[in-house]
Amino acid sequence: MSGLDARLAVERGGFRLELELVVPPGAVVALLGPNGAGKSTGLGALAGAVPLASGRVVLDGRVLDDVAVGVSVDIARRSVGWMFQDALLFPHLSVAENVAFGLRAGGARRADALRTAGEWLGRLGIGELAGARPREVSGGQAQRVALARALAPQPHLLLLDEPLAALDAEVREEVRSGLRDGLRRHPGCTILVTHDPVDAEVLADEVVVVEGGRAVQRGTPDALRAAPATPYVSAMFPG
Amino acid sequence: MPRRDLPGILWLPAAVAVLLLALPLVALITRVPWTRAGALLAAPESLSALLLSLGTALAATAAALVLGVPLAAVLASSDRWPTPARRLLRAAVTVPLVLPPVVGGIALLLLLGRQGLVGAPLQSLTGITVPFTTPAVVLAQTFVSMPFLVLAVEGALRGADPRYGIVAASLGASRWHAFRRVTLPLVAPGLVSGAVLCFTRALGEFGATITFAGSLPGVTRTLPVAAYLGLQTSPDSAIVLALLLLAVSVVVLVSLRDRWLRVGA
């Protein structure tokens, strides 16, 4: 395990994103930035859903993308989990079957996959939801199920795209701490896209501030607070 | 929303339109020989037409599912194709939808008949002739009814959130696994209503069937054909067969009312 080493450029209709990310195994890096800064585009590129204009992505020693030699590993074979703002639980499957989905896709037997799924739900404190249908669980619960589903296949890289943004303020705090517990059990690297500095403070080891398709500053929240490089950074981390 | 009353002049044509649509059905129902209906339906000719219709319409629906669902998936993802190719593909699906079924039957005959584009070599190579056989009935019904299924499923696929497919892929699902286990279940309601619509359309198919498959009792004489021919020989059994087709349509309408008829609800 050597973590993520990515330097990539993406071009989309006149917009250009250039990003360099080095994430050690087990670490959480937050991409913080205003809307339209290119954060989600970067996640899409790391997931293999958005083609790179140039660059190279290496995850735990495995080359996922290398534009110079024409390498691009399919999204399903990258071992990159992806969680969105909406839980997007498969509505026709039970909660446990949702969590078991990635294990089943990886070839696990149904009974084994369901048992492992139950263990993940238990670890995240939502074991009692195993038999429920997605429409029966609350928004906060659904997002924790989505986290269990993303973690169960033990991806080398976990991408979280504004995972708390769609939640009501009352449950956001609770899901945030559930997310922190879950990430502690995740041996791979994590990249968290957010525009909420609290998410970055609570969840991330390092913050990369992205503005206009560029990383304008990186460091711990304390370091950013001490020496903000742009007005946006100082507004996010007031001293 | 507050709204103004309709202008009075619209009421008269609207009433005529309702009568035009409803009165023929009323006439049909009043003429049904209820006491003999069971016996007329159980008569060998009626029964064989009924069984043939059910069998061929089910086969046509199955064919439409096996071929039409993949076509719907291709159509739903064809937005990035060059425009002429996309239009050609869409025309291939929508033209049969608006084509008079008789024209479809003639076209099938010109393709698969003894002198047909494919029919002539098929016969000289294998000895197989398609027209005027039960498979010809299924082909005619599939030609006419599959577009309904394709468009229903395409609409459902376009309405589904593409992020579900991305999530499935990020969990390691191959494209086929994701399509089978996530995409298809997500569009199941559209799939069901498309299949039911397709089945009804196949069951009622007349023009293409009689043109391409003829009217051989027990082989190609389906319910609508039997009802049409029966009018000359035994009107009562024709009326009963027509009632049966009407009943099937009403059942389908009721079962799909939540999906198709709640435009204003």
Side-chain angles (χ1 to χ4, degrees):
Chain A
M1 298 281 254
S2 51
L4 174 74
D5 184 353
R7 40 211 82 216
L8 54 88
V10 179
E11 272 166 18
R12 270 191 149 177
F15 177 80
R16 185 175 169 89
L17 167 75
E18 280 178 27
L19 205 54
E20 240 186 85
L21 285 170
V22 176
V23 187
V28 179
V29 167
L31 294 185
L32 187 73
N35 288 333
K39 311 181 299 280
S40 297
T41 304
L43 281 199
L46 291 169
V50 175
L52 302 187
S54 66
R56 190 172 140 92
V57 177
V58 182
L59 178 59
D60 287 335
R62 183 163 163 246
V63 178
L64 297 186
D65 289 283
D66 192 343
V67 176
V69 295
V71 170
S72 181
V73 175
D74 183 76
I75 179 168
R77 300 178 178 277
R78 293 168 87 93
S79 188
V80 173
W82 197 355
M83 228 182 109
F84 293 88
Q85 183 172 334
D86 310 304
L88 298 171
L89 300 182
F90 304 134
H92 57 289
L93 301 177
S94 72
V95 161
E97 285 166 340
N98 263 279
V99 178
F101 184 89
L103 303 162
R104 293 281 284 148
R109 299 214 330 268
R110 185 180 156 77
D112 296 339
L114 284 174
R115 197 177 53 243
T116 311
E119 288 164 11
W120 274 103
L121 288 169
R123 267 172 228 153
L124 297 184
I126 44 174
E128 76 281 1
L129 295 180
R133 311 303 292 186
R135 63 168 187 281
E136 297 164 350
V137 306
S138 71
Q141 290 171 330
Q143 204 55 323
R144 292 164 81 161
V145 174
L147 177 67
R149 180 176 66 177
L151 289 176
Q154 300 192 277
H156 287 228
L157 170 63
L158 178 62
L159 306 173
L160 306 173
D161 193 353
E162 302 272 12
L164 304 170
L167 300 176
D168 294 335
E170 311 93 77
V171 293
R172 188 175 301 155
E173 187 51 48
E174 188 191 329
V175 176
R176 190 184 283 128
S177 67
L179 203 54
R180 197 180 50 201
D181 293 346
L183 293 181
R184 218 174 272 148
R185 299 169 182 280
H186 171 50
C189 6
T190 301
I191 296 178
L192 164 74
V193 158
T194 182
H195 60 262
D196 184 347
V198 179
D199 292 347
E201 296 243 22
V202 174
L203 298 169
D205 302 301
E206 190 194 13
V207 178
V208 176
V209 181
V210 182
E211 288 179 58
R214 297 275 187 288
V216 294
Q217 195 172 10
R218 49 185 91 206
T220 62
D222 286 338
L224 297 185
R225 192 174 291 113
T230 70
Y232 175 78
V233 179
S234 71
M236 288 294 109
F237 298 99
Chain B
M1 282 275 273
R3 78 172 50 179
R4 247 184 118 186
D5 286 344
L6 283 177
I9 197 167
L10 297 182
W11 282 98
L12 183 62
V16 173
V18 167
L19 290 179
L20 187 66
L21 294 172
L23 271 186
L25 301 182
V26 172
L28 170 64
I29 290 168
T30 55
R31 282 289 312 276
V32 172
W34 295 104
T35 49
R36 295 192 299 128
L40 286 167
L41 268 182
E45 314 86 74
S46 306
L47 216 51
S48 86
L50 174 62
L51 290 178
L52 182 71
S53 265
L54 286 178
T56 51
L58 280 175
T61 307
L65 277 169
V66 169
L67 304 173
V69 171
L71 176 54
V74 169
L75 266 179
S77 63
S78 65
D79 287 350
R80 270 177 273 172
W81 292 18
T83 308
R86 205 175 63 232
R87 288 196 176 148
L88 212 61
L89 183 68
R90 187 159 296 281
V93 177
T94 45
V95 167
L97 200 67
V98 294
L99 199 68
V102 176
V103 179
I106 292 171
L108 280 167
L109 211 50
L110 294 176
L111 178 75
L112 290 162
R114 283 165 196 280
Q115 314 291 325
L117 205 59
V118 170
L122 185 71
Q123 196 192 4
S124 63
L125 290 175
T126 65
I128 295 172
T129 53
V130 179
F132 309 109
T133 63
T134 305
V137 176
V138 176
L139 266 176
Q141 292 176 343
T142 308
F143 179 88
V144 170
S145 64
M146 186 162 63
F148 289 90
L149 179 126
V150 172
L151 293 185
V153 176
E154 189 210 349
L157 284 169
R158 283 183 182 276
D161 189 333
R163 291 179 304 169
Y164 282 107
I166 296 278
V167 168
S170 76
L171 292 167
S174 67
R175 292 177 196 189
W176 173 234
H177 188 90
F179 184 74
R180 216 161 36 102
R181 299 284 179 197
V182 175
T183 310
L184 276 187
L186 279 177
V187 300
L191 210 61
V192 169
S193 56
V196 171
L197 208 61
C198 174
F199 176 77
T200 352
R201 194 66 194 77
L203 197 68
E205 215 301 307
F206 175 80
T209 306
I210 200 163
T211 312
F212 180 52
S215 166
L216 304 170
V219 180
T220 67
R221 185 173 296 176
T222 56
L223 268 187
V225 178
Y228 173 72
L229 294 174
L231 267 185
Q232 275 117 55
T233 53
S234 61
D236 279 354
S237 65
I239 291 169
V240 173
L241 292 182
L243 180 73
L244 187 62
L245 286 167
L246 173 64
V248 171
S249 313
V250 170
V251 167
V252 168
L253 201 66
V254 169
S255 69
L256 289 185
R257 70 190 188 282
D258 291 336
R259 305 210 55 76
W260 290 84
L261 299 176
R262 292 182 57 193
V263 178

